[in-house]
Amino acid sequence: MQGMLAGGRLIDPARLGGLVEAAEVMGLTKQAAARALKSQNAPGAVRILAMGPVYDLSEIAAWNAVRRRRPGPAPRNATLHAPGRCSTAR
């Protein structure tokens, strides 16, 4: 099978994948991977097809290994969960 030409280089088709495959490589949900891949330093899609973006999964794996991540869940907005600030009527 022939490779795909992207940015002047040939990419092995076995290394290509969509958002679901990128999420699997990154160990994230599809939604979290989509957010992460929108960051400025994330590798861009090699092609945009009707089904969505197509990524070089090798680039995704390399980028994911060095991107800055903080352990644990994302911090919550304190004002939304502060005691006495319940939005439901009693």
Side-chain angles (χ1 to χ4, degrees):
M1 185 179 258
Q2 291 185 351
M4 174 186 265
L5 191 62
R9 60 189 170 80
L10 199 60
I11 300 173
D12 177 7
R15 294 185 354 202
L16 297 174
L19 185 56
V20 171
E21 292 81 11
E24 289 174 0
V25 167
M26 297 168 69
L28 298 174
T29 65
K30 183 178 168 182
Q31 294 80 9
R35 283 191 305 270
L37 289 169
K38 288 181 183 177
S39 70
Q40 288 182 342
N41 62 344
V46 294
R47 291 282 190 271
I48 305 293
L49 303 178
M51 62 71 127
V54 176
Y55 298 98
D56 179 339
L57 298 178
S58 298
E59 283 187 4
I60 298 293
W63 171 74
N64 188 58
V66 298
R67 73 184 178 103
R68 182 177 174 189
R69 290 184 286 181
R70 294 183 191 142
R76 292 186 170 183
N77 184 339
T79 60
L80 294 178
H81 302 285
R85 293 191 182 239
C86 184
S87 61
T88 59
R90 291 188 177 173

